[in-house]
Amino acid sequence: MREHEEHQGHDDGGVGGPVVRLGAAELGAEPGERASLVQFSSAFCQPCRATRRILAEVAAMVGGVAHIEVDAEKNLDLVRALGIEKTPTVLVLDASGRIVRRGVGMPRKADVIAALGAAV
């Protein structure tokens, strides 16, 4: 994932607060049993379409992994809380909903698979 920040151990969501755990209430969909690929998108974002395809393909390849797309424009409170500045932004969550990787821009499939390794 381009322009990515890797977080080891914990993630403060980019706001300097406590460890963030995201679940169905925040994401609007059930997270995966093993991990989740959370994509923040906007309506006119061209790279978001390709990112959606890549993440859906990876989620289909790896059991227990969900791809959840969040409309950044309709979820401004969450966007602000997580420090999302550009779309697409992809968060990789572990089974407990903790952010283990974060990337901005259209990812390569191999990078997404590698990032999942930190979550499962």
Side-chain angles (χ1 to χ4, degrees):
M1 295 187 227
R2 282 181 300 161
E3 299 177 41
H4 68 108
E5 309 160 26
E6 292 190 13
H7 299 282
Q8 300 292 335
H10 79 282
D11 182 80
D12 64 7
V15 294
V19 174
V20 173
R21 295 194 191 278
L22 301 172
E26 295 82 13
L27 300 172
E30 282 298 318
E33 291 177 17
R34 296 178 63 204
S36 299
L37 300 170
V38 180
Q39 174 184 347
F40 285 83
S41 299
S42 54
F44 298 103
C45 168
Q46 289 294 330
C48 292
R49 293 177 187 153
T51 299
R52 178 183 308 121
R53 181 183 47 79
I54 291 165
L55 297 181
E57 288 175 5
V58 172
M61 289 172 27
V62 183
V65 174
H67 170 228
I68 300 168
E69 190 166 3
V70 177
D71 184 328
E73 296 163 344
K74 293 181 180 175
N75 294 280
L76 290 176
D77 288 343
L78 183 59
V79 165
R80 289 183 187 115
L82 295 174
I84 307 293
E85 297 177 1
K86 298 179 182 177
T87 57
T89 291
V90 177
L91 306 178
V92 179
L93 309 181
D94 65 12
S96 69
R98 184 174 59 93
I99 301 167
V100 295
R101 292 286 187 272
R102 175 185 189 115
V104 178
M106 188 178 74
R108 294 182 317 143
K109 187 186 281 190
D111 293 336
V112 175
I113 293 168
L116 267 179
V120 294

